[in-house]
Amino acid sequence: MLASVALLSGLACQVAAHYTFPNLILNGQPSTDWQYIRQTDNYEDLSPLTDVTSPEFTCYDTSIVSSPSTASVAAGSTIGFQAYGNPSSLYHPGVVNVYMAKATGDVSEFTGGSGAVWFKVYEITAVTDGGESISFPAENLPSVSFTIPTELPSGQYLVRMEALAIHSASYYGGAQFYVGCAQVEVTGGGSGTPGPLVAIPGVYTGYEPGILVDIYYPIPANYTQPGPPVWPPS
């Protein structure tokens, strides 16, 4: 009996505070589950990614063949990703990166996992004050919304949400990544040239100071957001 209770408690701990992103927010309203977002391998157990070199790191959908619709979004409009989990929020201390990649052909057939095709359009970083404290504006957010750049050329894109939890990132492989990719068609776009372009996987080694970091002791004097700078520069 005691062994059964311990096993159930262990399983509960595994899924507690883990999450995924099944809903794309359009016009302020969340879509139905996996309507526009590719169903991720962790849709049941909500487990994070920890290997930044894995093919799963692109969209976390290598084990599932899903066929989401493609959402039409206007350049300059706001979209977002809504979290689902236990609780349904970005529960852990951490940061956010949002990447986009223009599809070569139909976005439904575009994997995004080959070559430098991704650029960052949004981020939420940590706030430090020289070693006295560190805080995380993304912590406990139920969703993350951002603006599609007005300069972005029209076309079909993957939009990749990446929530990086660093509560246990003091050792290599301890950082937890929660990932989801939406399919969108951008309309009314501009003539900008997004960049710098990076490959995913490939953008991180896992040894970056913003990924391999102890946030508790000593408290970091500053925090370095992983990945390229946001495009376009603000």
Side-chain angles (χ1 to χ4, degrees):
M1 179 67 176
L2 289 176
S4 298
V5 171
L7 176 60
L8 291 173
S9 298
L11 291 174
C13 290
Q14 287 179 26
V15 298
H18 291 173
Y19 35 91
T20 188
F21 301 101
N23 312 107
L24 188 67
I25 300 172
L26 300 169
N27 301 314
Q29 298 297 319
S31 69
T32 58
D33 291 355
W34 314 113
Q35 183 179 0
Y36 300 111
I37 298 175
R38 295 178 177 180
Q39 191 172 44
T40 48
D41 298 351
N42 67 337
Y43 80 101
E44 288 185 317
D45 63 22
L46 312 182
S47 59
L49 288 162
T50 57
D51 182 359
V52 298
T53 68
S54 168
E56 289 185 308
F57 195 64
T58 309
C59 288
Y60 207 176
D61 65 342
T62 57
S63 298
I64 295 173
V65 179
S66 62
S67 301
S69 300
T70 298
S72 178
V73 299
S77 65
T78 298
I79 67 172
F81 287 79
Q82 181 170 286
Y84 168 78
N86 182 23
S88 292
S89 67
L90 279 64
Y91 179 80
H92 297 297
V95 300
V96 166
N97 291 310
V98 178
Y99 292 89
M100 295 184 70
K102 190 169 187 180
T104 52
D106 193 315
V107 68
S108 65
E109 300 174 359
F110 179 62
T111 67
S114 178
V117 295
W118 295 92
F119 54 96
K120 190 193 291 188
V121 294
Y122 185 69
E123 66 183 20
I124 305 175
T125 190
V127 177
T128 60
D129 61 359
E132 292 296 319
S133 66
I134 183 169
S135 61
F136 301 93
E139 187 176 2
N140 293 318
L141 288 179
S143 62
V144 172
S145 294
F146 54 95
T147 300
I148 300 291
T150 57
E151 301 94 328
L152 186 67
S154 299
Q156 294 192 346
Y157 292 83
L158 283 179
V159 187
R160 179 180 178 275
M161 169 68 182
E162 174 188 285
L164 166 56
I166 51 176
H167 58 292
S168 59
S170 60
Y171 60 93
Y172 183 83
Q176 298 180 357
F177 292 84
Y178 298 88
V179 171
C181 286
Q183 297 179 177
V184 304
E185 179 159 7
V186 175
T187 62
S191 57
T193 303
L197 300 179
V198 297
I200 301 177
V203 62
Y204 311 134
T205 65
Y207 291 99
E208 289 78 7
I211 296 176
L212 181 58
V213 57
D214 187 340
I215 63 173
Y216 302 107
Y217 186 83
I219 296 172
N222 52 66
Y223 178 81
T224 303
Q225 185 81 356
V230 169
W231 179 87
S234 58

